[in-house]
Amino acid sequence: MASLELPSIGTRLSYSGHLGTVRFVGPVDGTQGVWLGVEWDDPKRGKHDGVKDGKRYFSCLVPNSGSFIRPSPAVSYGVSFLSALTAKYIDIPHGDTATEKIVLGSSNGAIEVEAVGLDKIRGKLARLERLREVSLDGECVSKADLPGEIERTCPGIRGLDLSKNLLPTWDVVASIATELRDLRSLSLNQNRLRPPQLLRPGTTAFQRLEDLQLNGTLTTWDEFRTILIYLPSLRTIELGYNRLQNLVTEQDPQGSPRGGTNATLHSVNLDSNNLDSFGDICAAMRSLLGIRRLVLTSNYIASISSAVSPPEGQAGEDSPVGGLTHLALAFNRLADWHDIDTLTRWCPQLESLTLAGNPLVEDPTHKPHARSFTIAKVPSLRVLDGATVTPKERTDSELLYLSYISKQPLSDDAKRAAHPQWQALCTKHGVSDAPTSSATQEMPDTLSNRLINVRIYHATSAPPRSLPSAEVEDYLRGCRTNVSLRVLSTMTVRTFRLKALKTFKIPKTQQNAAKLWMLLRDGQFVEMDEEYAGRDLSWWGVEENTLCVISTSEQ
């Protein structure tokens, strides 16, 4: 035991398949010999946080992730980069079995898949100088090789996965990367990296690096900002599963940029952390001038504050995330529609949004109209929860939203306050925003008073997609005939269509091909198709004096 070389504090180790970091080396009261105090990467392996019998020997980043072990030959302190590379791609066939199980590095150990014929692939990749994509995930890499050896052996590597290894510091990572001059993508998931001590601005280590993964590394936002100085070409960063509670550093309590501004980074992934303040997150993005994509999935965000209050018509001008086009907020705690209204103030250019898993869209009360309301509230949206928003769906959603607002007993000022998009949607769709007269409000609630007049025209061909206002009247005069129907707004479109077919005495041979259209006030014709035929007329926005067209083909 005495002949074993003891590790220094901060050394990474592997013991019985578990990875950890040495936090203490020395004697423990009441015992003989030397102990290693280890903080394990997997907290379940730990027994305490460095305290034994009331005495603290070391501290852990994650509570109760520490324990003591004896120094022994069973403890591995890792191998060099080239030793791991040759062992995986040249030296050791993995046996006769046709399949191997591999773990996807960015999945935090959650995704394990079977790969077929990896030994054959290794044979083809045995010429190391031809390697472009390399995975040394879980190969106990802890250090670089002698200067120049990596560059001579495998200079063409563009993508490198060093996840779940024994790399102790960013200086070691840099000593490997500096010899891979064409490195574009680097995965360091589930490592524990101390900040750099030897790196200087202008280092050649990461000059071309564009994509970096630091999931499950416990890297703080402050540490990332320190590293970002040395990554002049970085475009995407993943910082998921890092137990982040905020993005405001001790050095910069106001969220001022630690390393100045950055114009290259366009995508930040903060998936599965403990973040709860949308405003603070956005403030931390202010120095990232090129950010377009922000992933906040599976955090604890319960509201979207109204901290950004630019003048009317200038939404986003003072927002640190005003240029965002994609925002992922799935599986948070949003439960109020006001949060979606406020979102457009922060992100006026938003094109893609995820909201699945929030109470707002999963609650049975909101779920039936959650997608439609979100589309109506965010006018720039093109993709919602991975599904494209078609022009027809947008029109349908906005009309539904307007119909919903019209049923609320609110003054115009109250509607503007409660529904910021209401005025713009009224203008867009030609919906009257005049207040309801008191006489109308006081009419008795009888069946006849609930009936609305809908004028429907019979045409022999489908109407044009839209017409200028001056041509609409000419088109309607050219229809075969028209009639005014008094119907309930709660009548389904399917029933309304049948009523129209019967009224115009359209032959059964033509009924299946008949199509129903609604004329909007801006001259657009919207097809009330079969997909939504079970919806009632009010859902479509049909109201008093709405004009419709039913088209049939003459035989």
Side-chain angles (χ1 to χ4, degrees), residues 154-219:
C154 50
I157 294 177
R158 294 168 60 94
L160 178 59
D161 188 349
L162 288 174
S163 299
K164 209 171 184 179
N165 275 286
L166 301 179
L167 300 164
T169 71
W170 272 100
D171 291 322
V172 173
V173 176
S175 64
I176 295 172
T178 195
E179 301 197 26
L180 303 174
R181 299 182 184 276
D182 205 26
L183 187 64
R184 307 297 177 91
S185 174
L186 178 61
S187 297
L188 297 171
N189 303 313
Q190 300 182 69
N191 281 282
R192 297 290 184 269
L193 299 166
R194 298 197 304 277
Q197 301 296 319
L198 305 177
L199 279 180
R200 296 292 180 268
T203 177
T204 60
F206 307 106
Q207 285 297 304
R208 295 188 175 183
L209 189 66
E210 297 178 355
D211 305 308
L212 177 61
Q213 293 184 17
L214 294 174
N215 300 301
T217 58
L218 303 185
T219 300

Side-chain angles (χ1 to χ4, degrees), residues 263-505:
T264 64
L265 192 63
H266 86 280
S267 176
V268 176
N269 188 330
L270 295 165
D271 181 18
S272 301
N273 281 289
N274 302 321
L275 301 169
D276 60 8
S277 173
F278 185 79
D280 287 348
I281 295 168
C282 292
M285 302 296 127
R286 183 175 293 278
S287 61
L288 305 180
L289 307 181
I291 188 167
R292 296 295 179 266
R293 186 174 186 272
L294 179 60
V295 178
L296 300 174
T297 304
S298 298
N299 278 276
Y300 295 89
I301 300 169
S303 66
I304 296 177
S305 65
S306 303
V308 175
S309 300
E312 187 68 29
Q314 301 179 36
E317 286 192 5
D318 192 44
S319 170
V321 290
L324 275 189
T325 57
H326 173 80
L327 177 62
L329 286 169
F331 300 99
N332 276 275
R333 299 180 176 183
L334 298 173
D336 194 319
W337 281 116
H338 177 69
D339 295 322
I340 308 304
D341 293 325
T342 306
L343 191 59
T344 61
R345 308 286 287 176
W346 287 96
C347 312
Q349 300 181 43
L350 197 62
E351 297 179 0
S352 175
L353 175 67
T354 65
L355 286 175
N358 281 279
L360 181 64
V361 297
E362 298 298 335
D363 184 275
T365 304
H366 300 300
K367 195 167 186 177
H369 55 256
R371 180 176 173 86
S372 296
F373 279 20
T374 303
I375 292 170
K377 286 172 175 286
V378 187
S380 57
L381 208 58
R382 296 184 178 181
V383 179
L384 177 58
D385 287 321
T388 300
V389 179
T390 65
K392 183 181 186 310
E393 184 182 21
R394 171 159 294 284
T395 297
D396 294 346
S397 298
E398 291 173 350
L399 290 175
L400 172 63
Y401 185 47
L402 285 173
S403 174
Y404 167 78
I405 297 173
S406 70
K407 295 176 182 177
Q408 296 181 324
L410 299 174
S411 67
D412 284 2
D413 289 341
K415 286 179 181 179
R416 292 187 187 95
H419 307 283
Q421 292 298 322
W422 173 67
Q423 191 84 59
L425 292 176
C426 285
T427 302
K428 176 180 178 180
H429 295 287
V431 176
S432 173
D433 58 356
T436 306
S437 69
S438 58
T440 302
Q441 292 178 350
E442 294 173 2
M443 289 177 64
D445 185 21
T446 63
L447 179 61
S448 61
N449 288 332
R450 294 185 187 180
L451 294 172
I452 59 175
N453 291 298
V454 178
R455 182 158 294 276
I456 184 164
Y457 293 77
H458 180 202
T460 55
S461 62
R465 199 168 190 81
S466 65
L467 286 172
S469 300
E471 297 179 17
V472 169
E473 190 173 341
D474 290 340
Y475 169 79
L476 295 177
R477 275 200 300 265
C479 292
R480 291 185 59 178
T481 184
N482 68 87
V483 67
S484 181
L485 299 178
R486 284 175 58 78
V487 295
L488 288 169
S489 62
T490 55
M491 176 183 288
T492 66
V493 168
R494 185 176 290 110
T495 303
F496 179 68
R497 179 177 178 275
L498 290 173
K499 186 176 181 68
L501 292 171
K502 184 177 180 180
T503 299
F504 289 121
K505 298 181 180 180

Side-chain angles (χ1 to χ4, degrees), residues 6 28 69 103 179 196-197 199 205 213 248 260 271 307 311 356 359 497 502 506 508 528 551:
L6 296 177
V28 175
I69 62 172
V103 176
E179 301 197 26
Q197 301 296 319
L199 279 180
Q213 293 184 17
V248 179
D271 181 18
R497 179 177 178 275
K502 184 177 180 180
I506 295 174
K508 289 186 177 181
M528 304 168 77
S551 63

Side-chain angles (χ1 to χ4, degrees), residues 111 130 195 227 257 322 423 429 435 524 527 555:
I111 303 177
R130 303 176 69 176
I227 295 302
Q423 191 84 59
H429 295 287
Q524 290 188 68
E527 184 183 353
Q555 308 219 339

